[in-house]
Amino acid sequence: MNKGKIFKLAKGFRGRAKNCIRIARERVEKALQYSYRDRRTKKRDMRSLWIQRINAGTRIHGVNYGNFMHGLMKENIQLNRKVLSELSMHEPHSFKSLVDISRSAFPGNKNVVPAPQKKGLQILV
């Protein structure tokens, strides 16, 4: 890259990184590496956020995320995670109907019973 392009990309950097060509070149190269890496990381982070939101919405109705998604797959409901997370946040009644459909499709969703609490230590004789 030529000087003009480097300095244009280095605009807004602190210290000599904005006006000294050698330092600016190093900082711009590193910044481009970070931006390349983080464009991919952002996709992972957003998918993780959507899954957390869906899981929170389904647990309110007594179903966990994995069983909910499996039930939707069995019913051939092809909504992506982004849309499902938006529904869970902004359209709770619509999301509850999806949870009910998923629950009826997958038998693992029907009897949701919390795990029994252990009281004290049990000694096996």
Side-chain angles (χ1 to χ4, degrees):
M1 284 194 270
N2 60 8
K3 265 195 208 179
K5 204 175 222 185
I6 295 284
F7 285 137
K8 187 175 180 183
L9 289 172
K11 187 174 180 178
F13 288 4
R14 298 182 69 157
R16 288 195 303 161
K18 67 177 170 282
N19 54 16
C20 180
I21 188 64
R22 182 178 293 171
I23 298 170
R25 183 177 292 123
E26 292 171 358
R27 293 288 87 217
V28 165
E29 284 179 9
K30 195 64 172 176
L32 292 173
Q33 288 173 0
Y34 286 144
S35 66
Y36 179 84
R37 178 196 69 190
D38 292 338
R39 281 194 299 271
R40 279 127 191 93
T41 307
K42 183 169 73 170
K43 293 169 181 60
R44 278 181 244 146
D45 291 343
M46 291 308 294
R47 180 182 167 98
S48 174
L49 177 66
W50 298 331
I51 290 172
Q52 289 171 9
R53 287 177 178 171
I54 296 168
N55 194 14
T58 56
R59 285 185 186 268
I60 291 171
H61 302 296
V63 179
N64 67 12
Y65 169 78
N67 289 341
F68 172 70
M69 293 304 285
H70 186 66
L72 290 182
M73 185 189 70
K74 287 240 184 211
E75 284 290 317
N76 199 21
I77 297 174
Q78 297 177 350
L79 291 174
N80 62 17
R81 287 164 182 81
K82 181 179 179 181
V83 171
L84 287 171
S85 75
E86 290 294 317
L87 282 175
S88 72
M89 289 183 355
H90 302 298
E91 295 286 335
H93 297 296
S94 304
F95 190 73
K96 184 176 182 338
S97 66
L98 285 173
V99 171
D100 293 338
I101 291 169
S102 171
R103 183 180 284 139
S104 65
F106 182 57
N109 289 340
K110 289 186 179 172
N111 299 328
V112 179
V113 179
Q117 298 289 328
K118 292 184 179 179
K119 295 180 183 177
L121 296 175
Q122 295 177 352
I123 300 173
L124 298 174
V125 180

